[in-house]
Amino acid sequence: MKKVLLVVGIRPNFMKGAPLFRELKKTRGIKPILVHTGQHYDYKMSKSFFKALDLPDPDYNLDARSGTHSEQTAKIMLKIEKVFQKERPDMVVLFGDGNTTLAAALAAKKMHFLTAHVEAGLRSFDEEMPEEINRRLTDNISDLLFTPSVDGNKNLKKEGVNSNKILMVGNIMIDSLMEGLKTVTKKEKKILNDYKLTKKSYGLLTLHRPSNVDDKGKLKKIVNGLELVSKRLPLVLPLHPRTKKNLEMYRIKIKGNITITKPLGYIEFVTLMKNARFVLTDSGGIQEETTYLNVPCLTLRDNTERPVTITHGTNKLTNPGNMLKDVDRVLKRKQTVRKNIPLWDGKTAKRISKVFANKLV
Ligand code: UD1
């Protein structure tokens, strides 16, 4: 049996790892091994997603937790090196752009293991984002680069990457989303009731980027902007632990018509996203999920590594000063029907598994 070791660690990794783990389980000659670095560890940020996505308990949980970037990266490297030594994997799979991704890529390559990066080629060209450094370095040293869209291929080619390494397989997050939507259909009435929401009558917020929440002045500006937006429509804000911690530290109170909740489970969040009038976010994955769901998205950032969501027409960049104006525009706009982005079709995990089967078995 060939061992394919999947490394996950942060909330958005779980949606990307789950469909591939399932698919590899069904693939003859391949044994998937699941490693959770434990970068995210709260029940609501981790375990609840394993349940919702039907992922078994990981074979290894490294319990690396928080720290500065160097501490966190180093802790993960030290711990995962031992797993690599023991398992001697035939392939190590990395997802996305967190510290988990880069730490595992470095440790694996230094031990001469093959690595594959799922969600390769995305670039924001903003070196102040930790994720941009993680993505670039992970792509640079990985052996197989699975891209979600054509811009990924273009970026990698521009960086001089050998085209043999690049494979456009589509967006694996959409695999989980399509699967999750089946459950959402059954539960959405109750979930909306629980939050006292009706379809398309509220805005959904998420906020966690260091560039938005680590600086007191910036966070205050955003909160003020959100309070204004909440005069148009009620807002719901599931609070990320980083943001919660900073709001408390800076003693910033959120007023206005904004319901604050704990981080939501996957099915709950997808339900709220699907039925929102708009989503205002600084997340990466949510820009893609709203694109698939055809829900207007305003991204509270100066740039995005997912430009396809903007050219597609669902997403727009915004800032605290323009937020209200942008929301007003969205509210006036009529919903248009849009085609799906090629290969965002729920079959990405299948395509990746096929590549591994051909290469390894
Ligand atoms: C990480 C990723 C980011 C991703 C985000 C999704 C990096 C560099 N960043 O950012 O790309 O978009 O996850 O959520 O890898 N905390 C808890 N409980 C948890 C996890 C975190 O309380 O389960 C708190 C800790 O105080 C920690 C802080 O949140 O210091 C930040 O967590 P961390 O994993 O460092 O980064 P994220 O902001 O979550």
Side-chain angles (χ1 to χ4, degrees):
M1 288 291 252
K2 299 289 180 185
K3 291 182 182 175
V4 176
L5 193 148
L6 279 62
V7 186
V8 294
I10 55 174
R11 189 168 56 176
N13 288 165
F14 308 137
M15 289 78 116
K16 295 166 195 167
L20 186 56
F21 184 84
R22 261 199 303 279
E23 209 47 51
L24 290 174
K25 263 252 171 289
K26 294 191 276 183
T27 308
R28 258 210 0 242
I30 287 185
K31 178 184 178 210
I33 298 172
L34 189 63
V35 178
H36 183 357
T37 64
Q39 179 178 339
H40 283 175
Y41 44 89
D42 285 352
Y43 178 84
K44 294 261 181 196
M45 298 293 285
S46 171
K47 180 85 182 170
S48 94
F49 282 80
F50 275 69
K51 282 195 169 169
L53 295 160
D54 209 14
L55 259 178
D57 283 342
D59 297 284
Y60 297 89
N61 190 331
L62 308 181
D63 201 25
R65 298 193 171 229
S66 310
T68 65
H69 285 278
S70 297
E71 275 165 359
Q72 200 173 48
T73 310
K75 261 194 286 185
I76 297 170
M77 285 183 76
L78 286 171
K79 289 182 175 211
I80 209 162
E81 187 177 47
K82 296 206 174 70
V83 178
F84 291 154
Q85 258 158 5
K86 184 165 166 231
E87 296 288 352
R88 316 246 12 119
D90 298 284
M91 180 69 70
V92 176
V93 189
L94 314 153
F95 299 91
D97 52 20
N99 287 343
T100 285
T101 315
L102 177 63
L106 280 173
K109 287 312 293 177
K110 296 264 178 173
M111 295 174 84
H112 313 297
F113 295 122
L114 287 176
T115 59
H117 185 204
V118 177
E119 203 183 271
L122 301 190
R123 298 290 180 267
S124 65
F125 305 101
D126 175 0
E127 285 192 4
E128 285 186 17
M129 280 182 84
E131 293 82 1
E132 182 71 0
I133 315 281
N134 293 341
R135 285 181 208 120
R136 277 196 352 215
L137 297 179
T138 303
D139 282 344
N140 197 278
I141 57 176
S142 289
D143 302 282
L144 287 175
L145 300 171
F146 293 119
T147 60
S149 44
V150 273
D151 52 298
N153 293 43
K154 282 187 196 150
N155 291 334
L156 292 170
K157 280 185 194 148
K158 254 192 233 155
E159 288 170 18
V161 175
N162 187 333
S163 14
N164 295 338
K165 288 182 166 189
I166 312 171
L167 293 139
M168 192 166 97
V169 291
N171 191 330
I172 200 160
M173 223 178 187
I174 305 302
D175 288 23
S176 277
L177 182 59
M178 289 173 73
E179 195 57 38
L181 283 169
K182 293 181 197 160
T183 316
V184 167
T185 316
K186 291 180 215 147
K187 297 196 173 165
E188 64 188 329
K189 225 174 161 182
K190 176 172 183 326
I191 294 174
L192 290 174
N193 265 341
D194 287 349
Y195 287 94
K196 300 189 175 51
L197 297 169
T198 51
K199 292 185 179 187
K200 303 292 166 189
S201 66
Y202 62 94
L204 180 63
L205 312 172
T206 84
L207 199 62
H208 79 282
R209 289 271 154 225
S211 59
N212 282 333
V213 306
D214 283 3
D215 176 76
K216 185 178 178 182
K218 180 83 185 274
L219 186 56
K220 185 91 194 85
K221 258 193 203 156
I222 293 174
V223 167
N224 289 342
L226 294 178
E227 285 169 9
L228 288 178
V229 171
S230 81
K231 292 194 174 148
R232 301 287 196 268
L233 270 188
L235 302 177
V236 182
L237 169 63
L239 210 50
H240 186 283
R242 174 190 281 278
T243 314
K244 181 171 186 281
K245 204 167 88 177
N246 291 348
L247 285 168
E248 283 164 5
M249 183 169 72
Y250 298 140
R251 291 166 205 250
I252 299 174
K253 284 244 167 350
I254 301 183
K255 297 186 213 99
N257 193 356
I258 306 176
T259 305
I260 297 179
T261 75
K262 294 212 167 84
L264 299 182
Y266 185 60
I267 296 302
E268 281 179 305
F269 189 77
V270 172
T271 300
L272 261 52
M273 190 163 48
K274 178 185 167 219
N275 291 295
R277 183 68 183 82
F278 65 87
V279 175
L280 212 156
T281 186
D282 57 9
S283 148
I286 292 171
Q287 296 172 54
E288 301 178 329
E289 290 168 330
T290 47
T291 289
Y292 180 82
L293 294 168
N294 199 12
V295 171
C297 179
L298 293 170
T299 299
L300 199 52
R301 283 175 44 188
D302 297 335
N303 48 56
T304 177
E305 62 289 333
R306 281 137 165 121
V308 65
T309 59
I310 294 187
T311 49
H312 191 69
T314 40
N315 188 18
K316 183 184 181 301
L317 298 179
T318 190
N319 57 47
N322 288 342
M323 232 152 52
L324 188 63
K325 211 169 58 198
D326 284 333
V327 166
D328 281 338
R329 249 189 233 135
V330 164
L331 295 179
K332 271 193 217 130
R333 203 166 73 197
K334 273 218 180 99
Q335 244 344 45
T336 40
V337 182
R338 289 187 173 85
K339 276 197 235 148
N340 277 341
I341 294 180
L343 304 183
W344 292 26
D345 58 357
K347 294 182 186 136
T348 295
K350 272 206 172 72
R351 286 187 279 267
I352 297 177
S353 301
K354 255 196 201 143
V355 175
F356 289 155
N358 288 337
K359 201 171 167 64
L360 302 175
V361 184

